[in-house]
Amino acid sequence: MPFAISGGTQIHYVVEGRGEPILLVPGLGGGTRQLAKISAELASTNLVITVDPRGAGQSDKPDMRYDGALLAADMAAVLDHAGVKQADFVGISFGGMIGQEMALRFPARLRSLLLASSYAKSDVWTDRMWQVRETLIRKLGLAEHFKLAVMFLFSPRAFRTEAGTVAMIEAAVGANPPDPVGYMRQLEFCRDHDASQRLSGVTLPTLVVQGADDILASPIQGRELAKAIPGAQYREVADAAHLFMLSRPAEFARMIRDFHSEFGRRKAPQKAV
């Protein structure tokens, strides 16, 4: 059970598989357990490092402001502790925001960037959503708040077609609820995140993936994120909500591998004829 130390804070991570390293980072309140099916798919071909970001899982949950510099440094500390010089980054939602910060602050530690269900900054829709969720947490507590939050994570379609995944997430939260302090500190980071004016400095091969049915980080925000990063690709997944990858781990893993193969071919030197 490895732990990296970042500024005195323990950051838990799990390592699986062999091959080119992938650093896999979950969304708000999520951790290694939530992404187990995705990491298992990827571990058949890659070394996968899945992280509990500070504030979640088995990592420490300090009551302090979580900013981009801090969260990016946490990821660099994990790579150092794992003995990995450079990895392909895959971040989901909050994890994608951390990926943006890491690409700007530690570009030499990454080979590529895949940002799923994320955004460059909050907009008027997500501002309202964060305000309502914060109010619910303060007045009713995390458990009651999550009854609404899960409706942003899954679409009306997903509640019908992916009911098993919805039930699994709700059961996991009920059995092992997030730490209130850590969750709120992560939420505040998501609310305040704004890399929009800095992303022109990202030089890594980048793929932005957004679910067509995502109402938390909308396709509008996904296209804005891709447009802000020079040369970034954008892919919109049909019939997919915010956490579509939890129900479709094999499809998501294939998407990741295809992207890595594509930019690997583009970077490969041409042989003389």
Side-chain angles (χ1 to χ4, degrees), residues 199-206 225-233:
L199 290 173
S200 60
V202 174
T203 58
L204 298 168
T206 302
L225 175 56
K227 187 177 180 180
I229 299 173
Q233 302 176 52

Side-chain angles (χ1 to χ4, degrees), residues 134-252:
E134 286 181 90
T135 300
L136 286 175
I137 291 170
R138 286 196 303 269
K139 294 190 174 183
L140 300 177
L142 274 175
E144 289 300 311
H145 143 270
F146 198 74
K147 292 179 181 179
L148 173 69
V150 75
M151 297 175 71
F152 291 98
L153 303 178
F154 297 96
S155 64
R157 185 199 313 273
F159 263 72
R160 296 185 182 196
T161 62
E162 300 170 23
T165 301
V166 175
M168 177 192 73
I169 293 293
E170 291 184 312
V173 170
N176 188 24
D179 177 82
V181 170
Y183 191 89
M184 281 300 298
R185 289 302 188 176
Q186 288 190 357
L187 187 153
E188 289 164 2
F189 171 79
C190 294
R191 179 197 67 198
D192 298 339
H193 171 71
D194 184 355
S196 58
Q197 299 305 307
R198 296 179 287 134
L199 290 173
S200 60
V202 174
T203 58
L204 298 168
T206 302
L207 173 64
V208 175
V209 178
Q210 221 78 2
D213 294 346
D214 192 342
I215 61 169
L216 197 163
S218 70
I220 297 170
Q221 291 171 297
R223 288 189 287 270
E224 289 172 345
L225 175 56
K227 187 177 180 180
I229 299 173
Q233 302 176 52
Y234 175 73
R235 178 170 178 182
E236 196 165 300
V237 183
D239 302 336
H242 191 67
L243 291 184
F244 75 90
M245 64 290 296
L246 300 187
S247 294
R248 295 144 74 170
E251 178 185 345
F252 188 56

